Amino acid sequence: ARYRVTVCTGELEGAGTDANVYLCLFGDVGDTGERLLYNCRNNTDLFEKGNADEFTIESVTMRKVRRVRIRHDGKGVGSGWFLERVLVREEGQPESDNVEFPCLRWLDKDKDDGQLVRELLPSDSNATLKNFRYHISLKTGNVSGASTDSRVYIKLYGDKSDTIKQILLVSDNNLKDYFERGRVDEFTLETLNIGTINRLVIGHDSTGLHASWFLGSVQIRVPRQGKQYTFPANRWLDKDQADGRLEVELYPSEVVEIQKLVHYEVEIWTGDVGGAGTTARVYVQIYGEEGKTEVLFLSSRSKVFDRASKDTFQLEAADVGEIFKIRLGHTGEGFGPSWFVDTVWLRHLVVREVELTPEQEARRKKEKDKLRQLLKKERLKAKLQRKKKKKKKKKGSDEEDEGDEEEESSSEESSSEEEEEETEEEEEEEEFGPRMQEVIEEYKFEAHRWLARGKEDNELVVELVPAGRPGPEPNTYEVQVITGNVPKAGTDANVYLTIYGEEYGDTGERPLKKSDKSNKFEQGQTDTFTIYAIDLGALTKIRIRHDNSGNRPGWFLDRIDIIDMNNEITYYFPCQRWLAVEEDDGQLSRELLAVDESYVLPRSEDEEGDGGGDNNPLDNLALEQKDKSTTFSVTVKTGDKKNAGTDANVFITLFGTQDDTGMTLLKSSKTNSDKFERDSIEIFTVETLDLGDLWKVRIGHDNTGLASFPSIPG
C-alpha cells in the first residue's frame, strides 16, 4: 500500500527546522518502520514555517492508521520545530479522507518540555492524555573515570509493545553536563502504553573526548501504572574495559508499587489587556470528590503567560474524581508579577460506557470482522513465507538444521504473538469492560480577573468552580486572630492560615497580610483578615503557622474566630500555646479544632455559680484535642561526607492517607542547637490532626543561609 503523508509546520516565529525528520505510521496490522522524510513531492525547502510538505510512504497494508510517531535528530543551527499536524490517507483517495493527527507543540530541546519526539493520535482523541510517561533516572557510578561525553540511548521492552531506541538529549533536572561521576540524570519518554516493563537495552555511541562510561543503575517510574522498576548495572560500557561492549541488556531486580497518578491537561488563556502577562511562577491545585492534588507548578522551557497567549501544560497528579474547584495563583516573584487570567480549561480521561445505536453497533461488528479476516490473511501469508524459508534451509548442513529448529521455535513464538494482536478498541474493552472506553472529560473555569497586588482585591490566588455545573458557591470568611496577653506574645514573622471544611476541601495556605491594624499580631490584639474562597461547608479545623522571620518571631496565639459570611456562623478555634522555637515544644505550626462557643466566651454569673468550682473548660479541651492529634517524632541524620551539612532552612511535609501536614519548618531540634551539621542526628516534633496512615515524606531546604523560610503555597 502507498500512503500520502502531509507534514504541516506551524506559523509561529522560528517554527521551521533544518534537522532530519523521521516518521513511523502504526496501523491495525503492523507499522511502516521509521522512515527519513526527504523525497518531498511539492517543496524543495522542507519543514519551513507554514509549509505543508507531502511525502509518499510505501509499505504493506496497515488497514487503518492509528498512531503517528514523528521526531527529528536535533541537528542543524535551527533545529527547534513547531509541528502543527500530520495528515495521512491512502494514495489515490480524496483529500477528504485525510486522517488528521494534531500536534501543536514544539519539538525543541529549549522549548515546551524539551522533547524531540511526539506520538500523535487522531483528532478525535488526545495523544498527550492517552500516552504514558516513563521517567528514567540514570545513575553514573562513583568510580574514577566513570563519566562519559558520548550520546546515550535507551530502548524499553514491555509485554504489550516496546519503545524506539531513544537518544537521551534533554534532561528533566537540567544539569549542565550529563552522565557525570556519581550523579543521577533524569529523562522522560512519552509514548504508548508498552505494558509491564520486562527488560531494557542501554548503550552509547562512543563519541566525544571521554567516551567510556560506568553505569551504576537505571530506575524507571511509571506513575500511570503505579510502578517503579530498578535495573542494577554496575559495569563499564567501554570498548577498552571489561568485555568491551558499548551496549547492555538489563532486567529488573525489583518492581515496587508507587502512588498511581493520572494525566491532566491544563490550558490557560492570559487576558488581552495592558500588562496582563506575568513573570511569576504560576501554580494550580485541583479538588474533586475523591480528594485533592498537591500544589502543581506550571513550568515550561518556553516563555509562558504572555499577554493574549494560550499555554498548555501536561501534569501527573492524583485522581481526584469529579472536579468541583481549582485554586489558581502565583508566587508574586519577578520584575512583572501582575497577571490577568482570562479562562482555564482542564481535561482528563475518564472511563465511561459508550452508547451505540443499532446501526453503529452493526457497523462496528462488520469492521471488526473485516479486520479479523485481514489479520488472519496476513498471518497465513507470513506462515507460508516461513515455510518456504525453512525448506530452503533444510538443504544445508546438520548445524544449519539445528539453527532451523531454533528459528522454527522462534517463528512459532512470533506466530502466537500475532494471534494475540488486537485493535485499540478491543484492548480498551478488555481493560475496562464491554462498551467501556476512555473518554476526555473537560471543565471550563471563567476567571476574567487580575491576580496582582494593588489591583482588584489584592489577591494573588483565586478559587474557581467549573462553568455550567452544579457545585459550591463562592464564600467570604472573616478571620479574627487574637494574640495572647502574655509578655512578648506578639510576632514580627509572616503568618499563614489554612481553613478546612467538611464538604469541599480547604482554602489552601493563605498569607495573613492585610489586617485592619497597621501593626499585626501585637500582644493582646485582635487582627481581622478577609479570605475569599469557595464554600467549604461546615468548618472542621485550621492550620496556622509562621515562618520564624523578623527580630521577634516567637508568638503566643490565644485563639482564632472565623465567621462564615454566607451562612452567618462563627467558628471558634482556641490555641493558648506558643508557636516559637524557644518555647513550649518548639513547633511553629499548630492544627486547631473548632469548638462550641461555651468553651471560649465568658460565662454569665449564673453559669459560673452552677459550675461548682474553678474548672476551666479549656483545660479539658486541651486534653481532648491532644487525644485527637498524632505526634510524630522526626529523626533526621545528615550524611558523613565532606560539606554534607547545611545552614539553610530545612522543611518537611508528612503525607497521610487523609491529608498532609503542609510544609513544616524544622527549627527546634531536641538534640543540637547547631542543626544539620555533618554526621549529626536531629530530632523534631510534628503534631497533626486527621493525617491518616503515613505513606510518604518530602524533605528539602530553601537554599539560603541567613534568609528566612520561603512561602510556597500548599
Side-chain angles (χ1 to χ4, degrees):
R2 290 159 66 89
Y3 295 90
R4 180 74 61 89
V5 176
T6 306
V7 179
C8 303
T9 300
E11 296 275 2
L12 300 183
E13 190 65 36
T17 184
D18 298 324
N20 295 308
V21 174
Y22 300 84
L23 176 132
C24 182
L25 305 179
F26 296 83
D28 287 327
V29 190
D31 60 75
T32 61
E34 191 170 77
R35 308 289 183 92
L36 172 64
L37 299 180
Y38 67 94
N39 194 9
C40 181
R41 297 169 58 96
N42 61 333
N43 290 312
T44 50
D45 288 334
L46 306 185
F47 315 118
E48 293 297 307
K49 175 182 172 181
N51 266 23
D53 300 300
E54 291 189 2
F55 304 88
T56 298
I57 290 180
E58 289 190 40
S59 78
V60 297
T61 182
M62 294 183 296
R63 179 66 176 154
K64 192 172 180 180
V65 178
R66 301 279 183 181
R67 181 182 286 264
V68 172
R69 179 191 290 143
I70 190 163
R71 72 173 181 92
H72 68 76
D73 59 7
K75 292 180 179 175
V77 178
S79 65
W81 185 32
F82 187 85
L83 174 62
E84 186 178 286
R85 57 186 173 151
V86 176
L87 304 172
V88 181
R89 72 178 191 273
E90 279 201 48
E91 192 78 67
Q93 299 300 315
E95 286 192 18
S96 58
D97 277 12
N98 268 327
V99 180
E100 182 183 345
F101 294 84
C103 180
L104 296 167
R105 295 185 74 179
W106 286 97
L107 288 77
D108 186 341
K109 58 182 172 47
D110 297 318
K111 289 181 178 171
D112 200 333
D113 59 0
Q115 298 295 316
L116 304 185
V117 59
R118 299 285 176 209
E119 298 221 1
L120 312 177
L121 294 175
S123 53
D124 59 354
S125 191
N126 185 314
T128 50
L129 284 176
K130 290 207 168 187
N131 284 342
F132 277 53
R133 291 182 183 90
Y134 297 83
H135 300 282
I136 301 167
S137 299
L138 301 183
K139 183 168 186 181
T140 299
N142 194 14
V143 299
S144 178
S147 59
T148 185
D149 299 322
S150 299
R151 284 155 68 100
V152 173
Y153 60 82
I154 194 168
K155 182 178 175 77
L156 312 181
Y157 295 84
D159 59 8
K160 288 187 177 181
S161 183
D162 50 70
T163 69
I164 59 170
K165 189 180 278 189
Q166 178 82 46
I167 297 171
L168 302 175
L169 291 175
V170 184
S171 82
D172 296 338
N173 46 349
N174 291 321
L175 297 171
K176 191 176 179 183
D177 294 311
Y178 299 167
F179 315 119
E180 293 294 302
R181 174 180 174 177
R183 227 168 50 183
V184 176
D185 294 279
E186 297 178 354
F187 302 87
T188 298
L189 296 187
E190 186 182 301
T191 184
L192 74 164
N193 177 18
I194 65 170
T196 301
I197 302 170
N198 47 50
R199 65 190 171 103
L200 65 82
V201 169
I202 188 166
H204 64 82
D205 62 3
S206 197
T207 58
L209 292 174
H210 188 274
S212 63
W213 185 33
F214 190 90
L215 173 62
S217 63
V218 181
Q219 191 177 81
I220 301 175
R221 286 185 305 108
V222 193
R224 199 161 161 194
Q225 286 181 1
K227 290 180 181 176
Q228 178 177 282
Y229 304 80
T230 301
F231 299 81
N234 294 313
R235 58 156 293 153
W236 285 100
L237 296 175
D238 181 5
K239 57 188 176 187
D240 297 323
Q241 298 210 55
D243 56 8
R245 291 163 63 191
L246 301 179
E247 180 180 283
V248 65
E249 188 170 87
L250 301 176
Y251 294 85
S253 64
E254 182 183 47
V255 182
V256 297
E257 288 190 6
I258 58 172
Q259 184 187 18
K260 200 168 185 178
L261 305 179
V262 297
H263 291 177
Y264 294 94
E265 182 176 84
V266 179
E267 182 183 297
I268 296 187
W269 290 76
T270 298
D272 189 10
V273 298
T278 183
T279 55
R281 296 174 69 208
V282 173
Y283 61 86
V284 68
Q285 191 168 18
I286 305 166
Y287 287 76
E289 301 293 343
E290 304 297 324
K292 63 180 178 179
T293 68
E294 295 180 34
V295 172
L296 308 167
F297 280 91
L298 305 179
S299 59
S300 172
R301 294 170 191 265
S302 302
K303 193 171 186 300
V304 289
F305 309 119
D306 282 339
R307 174 178 174 174
S309 68
K310 178 187 82 169
D311 300 294
T312 305
F313 304 88
Q314 310 302 325
L315 306 173
E316 289 177 307
D319 185 357
V320 299
E322 188 173 347
I323 295 165
F324 59 73
K325 78 171 179 180
I326 63 168
R327 182 179 308 109
L328 182 70
H330 65 79
T331 55
E333 303 163 328
F335 59 86
S338 299
W339 186 34
F340 189 91
V341 59
D342 194 66
T343 312
V344 179
W345 291 89
L346 180 62
R347 303 177 188 96
H348 68 126
L349 293 173
V350 294
V351 178
R352 281 217 188 104
E353 185 174 357
V354 179
E355 292 290 338
L356 297 175
T357 64
E359 292 81 12
Q360 287 173 323
E361 190 77 63
R363 198 182 311 123
R364 192 177 183 191
K365 186 177 183 302
K366 191 177 176 183
E367 283 181 2
K368 276 187 183 179
D369 291 342
K370 195 174 177 182
L371 179 58
R372 284 197 183 95
Q373 289 298 319
L374 188 64
L375 287 168
K376 197 174 178 181
K377 204 179 284 182
E378 289 292 322
R379 285 195 289 268
L380 192 61
K381 191 176 172 184
K383 199 172 180 182
L384 287 170
Q385 283 174 345
R386 283 195 299 272
K387 277 186 179 178
K388 280 179 188 175
K389 212 173 181 182
K390 187 180 166 189
K391 278 178 184 175
K392 281 180 187 176
K393 287 199 174 183
K394 273 196 173 179
K395 294 171 185 174
S397 65
D398 290 342
E399 285 180 16
E400 284 174 330
D401 283 340
E402 286 174 21
D404 278 341
E405 283 172 23
E406 286 177 19
E407 189 181 319
E408 189 181 349
S409 67
S410 68
S411 296
E412 284 170 9
E413 282 173 27
S414 65
S415 178
S416 68
E417 283 173 15
E418 285 170 350
E419 291 288 341
E420 292 169 7
E421 207 167 348
E422 293 176 320
T423 66
E424 287 191 14
E425 287 93 339
E426 285 173 324
E427 283 181 6
E428 281 197 347
E429 285 203 355
E430 190 178 299
E431 187 177 351
F432 305 123
R435 290 194 177 184
M436 302 299 283
Q437 282 186 20
E438 278 188 322
V439 295
I440 298 165
E441 182 79 42
E442 187 173 65
Y443 300 84
K444 183 182 183 183
F445 301 87
E446 305 273 10
H448 314 302
R449 58 157 292 159
W450 284 98
L451 294 177
R453 295 192 180 100
K455 295 191 178 183
E456 292 190 23
D457 55 9
N458 287 299
E459 291 290 339
L460 303 186
V461 62
V462 64
E463 293 195 345
L464 304 170
V465 294
R469 294 174 184 248
E473 296 292 322
N475 201 348
T476 302
Y477 296 95
E478 186 181 284
V479 178
Q480 296 177 350
V481 180
I482 304 167
T483 300
N485 198 11
V486 299
K488 299 181 180 178
T491 183
D492 299 324
N494 296 305
V495 175
Y496 303 88
L497 174 71
T498 309
I499 308 172
Y500 291 80
E502 250 176 32
E503 294 181 64
Y504 296 112
D506 57 69
T507 61
E509 188 172 81
R510 306 291 185 94
L512 298 181
K513 281 188 174 292
K514 197 175 179 184
S515 168
D516 60 335
K517 307 289 193 305
S518 56
N519 200 7
K520 302 187 293 288
F521 311 121
E522 291 298 302
Q523 178 181 328
Q525 181 173 291
T526 299
D527 293 275
T528 303
F529 304 86
T530 302
I531 290 179
Y532 303 101
I534 299 302
D535 187 69
L536 299 167
L539 303 190
T540 54
K541 72 170 184 176
I542 61 172
R543 179 185 297 130
I544 186 88
R545 76 165 180 97
H546 68 76
D547 63 3
N548 206 48
S549 62
N551 295 324
R552 201 186 56 188
W555 186 31
F556 187 87
L557 173 62
D558 184 9
R559 76 170 194 265
I560 294 177
D561 299 344
I562 299 178
I563 304 169
D564 176 337
M565 304 299 279
N566 278 10
N567 301 298
E568 298 182 349
I569 300 172
T570 301
Y571 296 87
Y572 303 93
F573 298 90
C575 179
Q576 295 197 339
R577 294 185 73 177
W578 285 96
L579 288 77
V581 174
E582 306 298 337
E583 302 280 354
D584 203 330
D585 58 3
Q587 290 191 74
L588 306 181
S589 173
R590 301 281 178 208
E591 291 195 0
L592 309 174
L593 291 170
V595 301
D596 187 83
E597 65 178 27
S598 60
Y599 281 96
V600 294
L601 298 184
R603 290 182 293 173
S604 67
E605 289 182 13
D606 291 342
E607 287 173 322
E608 284 179 6
D610 294 340
D614 295 328
N615 286 342
N616 184 349
L618 283 174
D619 293 339
N620 295 329
L621 178 67
L623 293 172
E624 285 177 35
Q625 293 217 9
K626 190 78 177 170
D627 190 48
K628 289 179 182 178
S629 68
T630 304
T631 302
F632 291 92
S633 178
V634 178
T635 303
V636 181
K637 186 177 192 313
T638 303
D640 188 13
K641 288 182 181 289
K642 187 180 178 184
N643 300 322
T646 183
D647 297 325
N649 292 305
V650 175
F651 52 82
I652 193 168
T653 305
L654 311 184
F655 292 86
T657 50
Q658 302 296 322
D659 195 14
D660 62 75
T661 60
M663 201 184 304
T664 303
L665 184 60
L666 299 179
K667 271 289 182 186
S668 183
S669 171
K670 293 180 178 179
T671 50
N672 299 300
S673 56
D674 199 4
K675 301 179 293 297
F676 309 117
E677 293 298 303
R678 176 177 174 174
D679 200 30
S680 69
I681 294 175
E682 322 297 336
I683 300 175
F684 303 90
T685 297
V686 177
E687 194 174 277
T688 183
L689 293 161
D690 306 321
L691 194 67
D693 294 330
L694 186 68
W695 68 276
K696 80 169 179 178
V697 301
R698 178 180 296 135
I699 191 164
H701 65 78
D702 63 1
N703 205 35
T704 62
L706 301 173
S708 63
F709 183 57
S711 166
I712 297 178

